[in-house]
Amino acid sequence: MLDIQLKTCYNMHMMNERIKLLAEQATTYIDPIANDGVCWAFDKEKFAQLIVAECAEVILKTFVVHNEIDAMHRIRDNVKQHFGVTE
């Protein structure tokens, strides 16, 4: 078990700071007594949704010439729709 925790810590250290923040947003504290000693719950679906939403924002913030703006909006919307992200 400790080996898994060490690998997790190492992997978190190697991640981009933005991804770390998104992972933290997808993690919640839970009562360890009611959950067999587990103190944290990681919501994989929320994490994936946060990443997709962030990617959609990066697409919109990408510099484009004026006549490409509509295409960027369609690409963003298609990415979000493909992954079922509504935010």
Side-chain angles (χ1 to χ4, degrees), residues 1-13 15:
M1 182 67 171
L2 181 59
D3 185 43
I4 293 171
Q5 291 173 335
L6 290 174
K7 285 181 183 177
T8 301
C9 289
Y10 176 76
N11 289 338
M12 288 292 286
H13 178 70
M15 275 192 253

Side-chain angles (χ1 to χ4, degrees), residues 68-82:
E68 296 175 321
I69 292 173
D70 288 339
M72 297 302 286
H73 285 230
R74 285 194 311 277
I75 292 167
R76 180 218 41 204
D77 294 343
N78 286 341
V79 168
K80 289 172 73 173
Q81 181 180 10
H82 178 78

Side-chain angles (χ1 to χ4, degrees), residues 25-67:
Q25 291 175 15
T27 304
T28 55
Y29 179 79
I30 57 175
D31 181 10
I33 295 171
N35 293 289
D36 296 325
V38 176
C39 296
W40 301 98
F42 181 71
D43 186 337
K44 294 177 210 169
E45 185 174 333
K46 181 176 180 179
F47 183 57
Q49 289 176 345
L50 290 168
I51 289 174
V52 171
E54 186 95 359
C55 289
E57 287 304 309
V58 169
I59 289 168
L60 279 185
K61 291 177 182 176
T62 301
F63 177 77
V64 294
V65 293
H66 181 65
N67 60 352

